[in-house]
Amino acid sequence: MYDPTVARLTYRALLGRRRAAILFLLPALLLVIAAAVRMLNGADDQVAADLLGGFALATMVPLIGVIAGTGAIGPEIDDGSIVYLLSKPVKRSTIITTKLIVAIAVTMVFSAVPTLIAGFILNGNGQQVAVAYTVAALVASIAYSALFLLLGTVSRHAVVIGLVYALVWEALFGSLISGARTLSVQQWALALAEKVTGDGLVKSEVALPTATVLLVAVTLGATWFASHKLRTLKLAGEE
């Protein structure tokens, strides 16, 4: 279910000069903000939780997920270079799972690692805030990567749709409409963060068992459907 050649090509596409600059921008901004807040406000558990929840988990993780998930396959489908992979003796499900693994790895490195560092800068991991949001970022990275990889497989407008989901559905509707929070990867990840801290600093609108089931279902479902969609793509000359 993993092909090194596909992985190498995907890493090269995601970490090219232009995309890498965008991937580095948000983590760098988070660390700068964290350092400034610590200097101006000192160590404060609630401030740390608010910043990591409001910027890192709610904004940085989904945006990096959009870049990595859609970028793992979308450009290849758009410019037709996916034909090169589909013509090789590699199962199409293997192509999808390999690209998903790469997208998850990139999203985790550029979101979970900066979140952990920012948490230690803000309050030295007081009340496990840094670890809690790092766990949430790791879990969210998996679900976002699967969702946005699926979008990159089924739509030429995957980036736009991904941004609408991340910034409009989760950030806007999720803050205004309680029912929308149930269908939010951010809230599912927060359920795990809440479990880690366990003292009221982190609150999720979704219970942990429900969040766990939804995270697994969405990840597996999106991966299966992306594989199915790729299998339906026909090369010239295929029957």
Side-chain angles (χ1 to χ4, degrees):
M1 301 301 289
Y2 181 84
D3 186 275
T5 301
V6 175
R8 184 174 65 253
L9 293 173
T10 307
Y11 275 118
R12 185 181 302 171
L14 288 180
L15 301 177
R17 184 176 302 175
R18 183 177 177 183
R19 254 192 203 93
I22 299 174
L23 288 171
F24 276 107
L25 180 61
L26 287 170
L29 181 59
L30 172 64
L31 296 179
V32 169
I33 293 174
V37 169
R38 178 60 186 266
M39 285 190 299
L40 296 174
N41 198 65
D44 187 301
D45 296 340
Q46 188 61 60
V47 170
D50 291 343
L51 178 58
L52 294 180
F55 183 82
L57 189 61
T59 302
M60 183 181 73
V61 179
L63 289 181
I64 291 176
V66 170
I67 296 169
T70 61
I73 195 170
E76 291 177 295
I77 293 178
D78 290 343
D79 63 20
S81 60
I82 191 68
V83 172
Y84 168 79
L85 287 179
L86 299 182
S87 65
K88 300 300 179 182
V90 180
K91 290 183 178 179
R92 299 187 183 187
S93 59
T94 299
I95 294 174
I96 289 295
T97 54
T98 301
K99 287 181 173 294
L100 176 60
I101 291 169
V102 173
I104 289 172
V106 170
T107 306
M108 285 181 171
V109 168
F110 284 93
S111 60
V113 174
T115 298
L116 180 64
I117 296 172
F120 274 95
I121 291 173
L122 286 164
N123 74 333
N125 194 36
Q127 300 193 57
Q128 297 293 305
V129 170
V131 171
Y133 277 100
T134 300
V135 170
L138 288 170
V139 171
S141 295
I142 298 172
Y144 281 131
S145 296
L147 277 173
F148 297 136
L149 179 66
L150 171 60
L151 283 177
T153 307
V154 301
S155 175
R156 291 181 178 273
H157 307 290
V159 174
V160 174
I161 298 172
L163 290 175
V164 169
Y165 173 80
L167 299 180
V168 177
W169 178 264
E170 292 208 341
L172 180 59
F173 288 171
S175 64
L176 299 176
I177 305 171
S178 59
R181 297 168 193 161
T182 305
L183 301 177
S184 166
V185 174
Q186 178 189 341
Q187 291 297 322
W188 305 341
L190 279 174
L192 294 171
E194 182 179 7
K195 180 67 175 179
V196 174
T197 56
D199 59 3
L201 277 175
V202 182
K203 297 293 292 182
S204 173
E205 300 294 327
V206 183
L208 181 58
T210 302
T212 302
V213 171
L214 289 171
L215 282 166
V216 173
V218 165
T219 301
L220 294 180
T223 304
W224 176 86
F225 194 77
S227 298
H228 173 73
K229 177 63 177 178
L230 196 62
R231 282 195 296 268
T232 64
L233 289 178
K234 297 295 183 181
L235 300 178
E238 279 190 347
E239 296 297 328

